[in-house]
Amino acid sequence: MGLEMESLAASIGVSVPVLRFLLCFVATIPVSFLWRLLPGPSTKHLYSALSGVLLSYLSFGFSSNLHFLVPMFLGYASMLLFRRHCGLITFLLGFGYLIGCHVYYMSGDAWKEGGIDATGALMVLTLKVISCSINYNDGLLKEGLSEAQKKNRLIKLPSLIEYVGYCLCCGSHFAGPVFEMKDYLEWTDGNGIWKHDEQNPSPSPYCATIRALFQAAFCMGLYLYLVPQFPLSRFIDPVYHDWPFWKRLGYQYMAGFTARWKYYFIWSISEASIIISGLGFSGWTKSSPPKPRWDRAKNVDVLGLEFVKSAVEIPLKWNIQVSTWLRHYVYERLIQKGRKPGFFQLLATQTVSAVWHGLYPGYIIFFVQSALMIAGSRVIYRWQQAIPPSMAFLKSILRFLNFAYTVLVLNYSCVGFMVLSLHETLASYGSVYYIGSVIPITLIVLGSVIKPAPARSNARKDQ
């Protein structure tokens, strides 16, 4: 069996640990399908928990479940003993333990070299544990709640089996998507939008699942074709630095473009798993006849990201559920009552995202860059909105410039996310004269000086 695994891993160009993870990851699809056939909520909670434990063991070994147990225990204990402050306690302890694992395992180096460990799954699990505690904390509040708080807050403490089932549900902690405890409970109990009868039949998940699997196959095929042509090692190759400026900039674009298809593949598989379980269902379209929507399972909009019109829209297209988590549990909770959010809330949110990914300089720099990129895109958008309808051509030019700006700065910035080390990040940025840092900063400075009033007939809420 070991020799077969080695030969199969070698044939597709991955290590044995990565192959083992991929097999277990794909297995989440049939595991999630079997969940649909089980009777009663208690059986489903138990199955969710045990299947998650087994898949974790087969993927990462016995120690992975011990690591997962720590934030799960801390989160549940804080809800049980310190409800009034359980959200903050779990946030600090959960992130503290995750940071400790990041430092100890330095997983980014292993990922670059073709290895894998349980840290990626621990990242997803940490967000689920924190959101559960914060929502239980919100259950005490009577007023001043946002729409998201009203929807997700928990009045009653989940039972232990409900909690473990939620955390490890059918291996959904491997790569997400992150979902809420309240949605998990309603799904398992057959309540809310999952309450079906003759007038409200259960939607069929099979067409959407097949679509996600075809998308996964295409993404992996394209990634395997492109990755040998645009290796990350080229950034420290003297040949790269001898290239003219435009060729270096083009290589950065293609390196970022190539790397994204790996994530598209992973998230397409997880989307298929969540859809076929039924948890991904998020309601019906308003078309005639109505069609089921599966937004809860969606973690990436491939075409939407590759042709994104503005950097502001990137969190709505990439790692969608984590972006939603950051918005609900970091960004919105830092806004002072009666005041508008500003660059501080954006930078703090991006910093939390950077720490969640790991403490590599490349991550930190990338997410600081992301904050600058979004702030610069907002400036272009405000200028665009200030142009009257009679100057539609100029408005179209600014719209295109926002798209071009986003593509340029995104692919420049994401090199840091890929190479991770400070030396390689600064070397790659410096090779194109820090163009992706200079342009956003210049726009932010200009935006603070040039503040045009929106055109009256076209004014709307700022992004």
Side-chain angles (χ1 to χ4, degrees):
M1 183 65 178
L3 291 175
E4 292 176 359
M5 288 282 285
E6 288 181 10
S7 61
L8 180 57
S11 68
I12 60 174
V14 299
S15 63
V16 172
V18 170
L19 176 61
R20 189 183 301 116
F21 164 77
L22 289 174
L23 292 174
C24 290
F25 187 48
V26 173
T28 61
I29 298 173
V31 167
S32 297
F33 171 75
L34 291 175
W35 183 96
R36 302 173 65 93
L37 308 179
L38 298 174
S42 297
T43 306
K44 291 179 176 180
H45 290 309
L46 184 61
Y47 176 79
S48 294
L50 292 178
S51 61
V53 168
L54 179 61
L55 288 169
S56 298
Y57 169 74
L58 294 175
S59 297
F60 310 115
F62 178 73
S63 63
S64 65
N65 286 312
L66 297 180
H67 279 304
F68 299 155
L69 190 62
V70 174
M72 289 166 60
F73 170 78
L74 293 173
Y76 200 78
S78 70
M79 290 192 294
L80 196 62
L81 302 174
F82 308 104
R83 181 174 186 180
R84 192 166 295 277
H85 305 289
C86 64
L88 179 61
I89 291 171
T90 306
F91 191 101
L92 295 175
L93 293 180
F95 264 97
Y97 186 74
L98 178 61
I99 291 169
C101 288
H102 276 316
V103 172
Y104 182 79
Y105 288 104
M106 297 302 285
S107 301
D109 291 331
W111 296 342
K112 282 175 66 177
E113 296 169 5
I116 198 165
D117 59 31
T119 312
L122 182 63
M123 291 164 60
V124 176
L125 182 65
T126 298
L127 299 188
K128 294 171 77 172
V129 166
I130 290 172
S131 65
C132 183
S133 292
I134 291 178
N135 288 325
Y136 187 56
N137 198 158
D138 287 345
L140 293 172
L141 304 179
K142 303 295 183 183
E143 55 185 23
L145 295 167
S146 68
E147 290 303 313
Q149 287 176 293
K150 292 175 184 176
K151 177 181 177 296
N152 297 321
R153 69 184 188 136
L154 300 169
I155 306 300
K156 178 184 174 184
L157 178 69
S159 68
L160 189 59
I161 189 60
E162 289 173 338
Y163 180 75
V164 177
Y166 159 73
C167 289
L168 302 177
C169 179
C170 303
S172 60
H173 60 298
F174 279 5
V178 178
F179 49 85
E180 302 290 353
M181 169 63 90
K182 193 167 184 181
D183 290 334
Y184 169 79
L185 293 176
E186 289 186 351
W187 168 60
T188 307
D189 294 339
N191 292 324
I193 62 171
W194 292 278
K195 188 173 184 179
H196 304 297
D197 50 36
E198 291 183 1
Q199 284 74 35
N200 183 28
S202 175
S204 171
Y206 303 116
C207 288
T209 301
I210 292 171
R211 180 201 56 78
L213 290 174
F214 272 114
Q215 178 174 288
F218 175 82
C219 294
M220 177 51 72
L222 187 58
Y223 174 72
L224 292 175
Y225 170 75
L226 290 173
V227 72
Q229 303 177 51
F230 302 98
L232 297 180
S233 58
R234 186 64 54 82
F235 287 113
I236 56 175
D237 190 326
V239 174
Y240 167 81
H241 293 276
D242 291 336
W243 289 346
F245 169 78
W246 291 109
K247 188 173 180 179
R248 293 195 300 269
L249 191 63
Y251 191 88
Q252 286 196 3
Y253 170 81
M254 286 306 301
F257 177 78
T258 299
R260 286 196 290 276
W261 292 94
K262 173 177 64 177
Y263 295 97
Y264 295 158
F265 163 74
I266 291 291
W267 285 329
S268 296
I269 293 293
S270 65
E271 183 177 343
S273 175
I274 297 296
I275 288 174
I276 203 166
S277 71
L279 176 58
F281 179 62
S282 55
W284 298 88
T285 65
K286 294 181 179 179
S287 61
S288 182
K291 298 177 182 179
R293 292 188 292 110
W294 303 97
D295 299 339
R296 206 181 313 278
K298 199 173 187 64
N299 230 355
V300 69
D301 178 354
V302 177
L303 293 179
L305 182 70
E306 293 302 327
F307 297 99
V308 68
K309 297 177 183 177
S310 162
V312 178
E313 298 178 5
I314 290 177
L316 305 176
K317 313 293 184 183
W318 171 268
N319 210 353
I320 296 170
Q321 304 306 331
V322 170
S323 298
T324 301
W325 189 97
L326 288 167
R327 183 172 74 250
H328 289 335
Y329 299 106
V330 181
Y331 185 83
E332 292 178 352
R333 292 170 189 262
L334 291 175
I335 301 172
Q336 297 180 8
K337 191 173 182 179
R339 301 188 66 178
K340 277 185 155 187
F343 185 70
F344 167 74
Q345 286 79 13
L346 177 60
L347 183 60
T349 303
Q350 295 300 91
T351 301
V352 170
S353 183
V355 172
W356 178 69
H357 281 86
L359 299 183
Y360 286 90
Y363 287 146
I364 306 296
I365 294 171
F366 169 77
F367 284 103
V368 171
Q369 272 286 137
S370 298
L372 294 173
M373 175 178 65
I374 292 172
S377 187
R378 284 175 171 167
V379 172
I380 299 175
Y381 176 79
R382 286 197 294 270
W383 292 345
Q384 176 188 325
Q385 292 305 108
I387 297 172
S390 58
M391 303 176 68
F393 180 69
L394 182 57
K395 187 183 285 284
S396 298
I397 290 177
L398 279 177
R399 189 178 295 115
F400 174 77
L401 286 177
N402 206 348
F403 162 74
Y405 160 85
T406 300
V407 170
L408 170 67
V409 181
L410 173 63
N411 287 285
Y412 163 91
S413 303
C414 72
V415 175
F417 190 94
M418 296 184 294
V419 301
L420 299 181
S421 75
L422 180 63
H423 169 71
E424 290 179 86
T425 300
L426 294 181
S428 64
Y429 287 2
S431 71
V432 291
Y433 309 113
Y434 301 98
I435 186 172
S437 302
V438 171
I439 292 177
I441 292 172
T442 303
L443 283 171
I444 293 169
V445 172
L446 289 175
S448 65
V449 176
I450 306 172
K451 296 181 178 180
R456 286 186 181 181
S457 60
N458 210 33
R460 67 181 184 184
K461 190 177 179 180
D462 184 33
Q463 289 190 55

